[in-house]
Amino acid sequence: MSRITISKLQAMKSAGEKISSITAYDASFARLFDEAGMHVMLIGDSLGMVLQGQSDTLPVTIDDVAYHTRCVRSGASKALIIGDMPFMTYASPEQAYDNAAKLMRAGANMVKVEGGEWLYETIEGLVQRSVPVCGHLGLTPQAVNVFGGFKVQGRDSEQAQQIIDQAVKLEQAGIQLLVLECIPAELAKTISQTLTIPVIGIGAGKDTDGQILVMHDALGISFSKIPKFSRNFLAETGNISDAIALYIDEVTHGRFPGEEHSFK
């Protein structure tokens, strides 16, 4: 596999080729994922839960993500690397610029932010300053206290239209990739067909341009309950390398996620 760039992901969407993505936090797993042909690795603020044992992602700092980004970059030479911007590290455009620079210097190719219209100015500013941006809509874990828990979003028509409108405006602001989390499969399909940029789903059905899972969920080693939208690929294969190969193959051929991993 040649080195993955944003333009390569765009070409994959245009060709109808599925994008495989996973979270990563260290050099050893990053190398394994890279050698298996994983297109995208996200250093997610999910590290607060799966590595630090927190109940949510809010305690994670920008230095935490920068540290793990350097580790992943050391192990991955081909995959596109996305660094998550943690809670309240992009509350203002100027703060976002400083913190995005930390992640890009640590080895990220792109940064990810959660939210809609309040971010448009920040996204425009980041892109103008040569920082590629990935958006994140639907269930945005940093807003867990606003949502009252980890709940599926966009089930009523008004909220669904709001998510569509926000996705369009985020693309206009300059994002080059969008993550949709825990929304109905039909809504995710509509957004994926509406946007020209690649859309990556997690709990968003099979019709997005690609999929992402938290690596601990995909390997069945999370100490919390495995989400409905995930699948234990390690239990099906017996070793980690085969589990990751199976995950990539199932995404590539549109067999994962199935209806049992999706929301209506």
Side-chain angles (χ1 to χ4, degrees):
M1 182 179 76
S2 58
R3 187 167 184 175
I4 301 299
T5 62
I6 294 168
S7 58
K8 170 64 175 176
L9 297 181
Q10 187 66 59
M12 290 180 69
K13 176 182 175 103
S14 299
E17 300 173 7
K18 295 290 188 179
I19 299 164
S20 56
S21 316
I22 199 164
T23 66
Y25 314 98
D26 65 45
S28 296
F29 274 105
R31 178 171 294 179
L32 185 153
F33 298 155
D34 211 48
E35 292 177 349
M38 195 72 67
H39 300 113
V40 177
M41 295 182 214
L42 167 68
I43 297 83
D45 58 6
S46 51
L47 69 87
M49 301 174 75
V50 298
L51 298 187
Q52 298 175 346
Q54 306 287 349
S55 60
D56 55 43
T57 66
L58 304 190
V60 177
T61 69
I62 194 71
D63 289 335
D64 290 336
V65 177
Y67 168 79
H68 289 282
T69 298
R70 284 192 293 272
C71 293
V72 170
R73 182 80 279 171
S74 295
S77 60
K78 297 177 182 178
L80 185 98
I81 304 298
I82 304 175
D84 228 343
M85 297 278 278
F87 179 65
M88 292 299 288
T89 62
Y90 49 102
S92 68
E94 291 73 21
Q95 185 187 32
Y97 305 155
D98 289 342
N99 286 320
K102 291 181 181 179
L103 299 188
M104 297 295 285
R105 291 188 184 111
N109 304 117
M110 173 180 268
V111 301
K112 184 172 76 65
V113 293
E114 297 181 8
E117 58 187 318
W118 70 274
L119 279 170
Y120 301 158
E121 179 186 352
T122 296
I123 291 167
E124 288 177 345
L126 285 168
V127 173
Q128 289 169 356
R129 288 160 177 79
S130 303
V131 179
V133 181
C134 174
H136 186 156
L137 293 173
L139 171 57
T140 47
Q142 292 174 20
V144 62
N145 291 310
V146 175
F147 294 148
F150 296 99
K151 299 178 180 179
V152 179
Q153 303 297 304
R155 275 182 159 155
D156 65 73
S157 59
E158 181 178 352
Q159 191 181 57
Q161 188 60 52
Q162 184 181 44
I163 294 174
I164 294 171
D165 293 343
Q166 288 181 340
V168 170
K169 290 179 180 178
L170 285 174
E171 182 177 34
Q172 292 171 347
I175 66 167
Q176 293 174 283
L177 200 65
L178 177 65
V179 171
L180 294 176
E181 182 170 356
C182 288
I183 65 171
E186 280 301 312
L187 174 57
K189 180 179 180 180
T190 296
I191 294 171
S192 300
Q193 293 175 342
T194 300
L195 301 189
T196 61
I197 61 172
V199 176
I200 308 297
I202 176 167
K206 65 181 179 62
D207 294 310
T208 53
D209 303 304
Q211 301 294 327
I212 188 166
L213 286 177
V214 173
M215 57 165 280
H216 294 68
D217 293 340
L219 299 175
I221 56 175
S222 293
F223 59 77
S224 57
K225 181 181 178 182
I226 302 296
K228 167 187 167 70
F229 54 74
S230 191
R231 175 174 153 191
N232 186 344
F233 291 90
L234 181 57
E236 299 177 40
T237 57
N239 72 74
I240 293 174
S241 295
D242 288 347
I244 297 306
L246 177 61
Y247 168 58
I248 293 173
D249 188 67
E250 293 286 88
V251 170
T252 298
H253 293 94
R255 294 189 292 263
F256 177 81
E259 289 188 13
E260 68 273 25
H261 308 112
S262 306
F263 302 100
K264 296 182 179 180

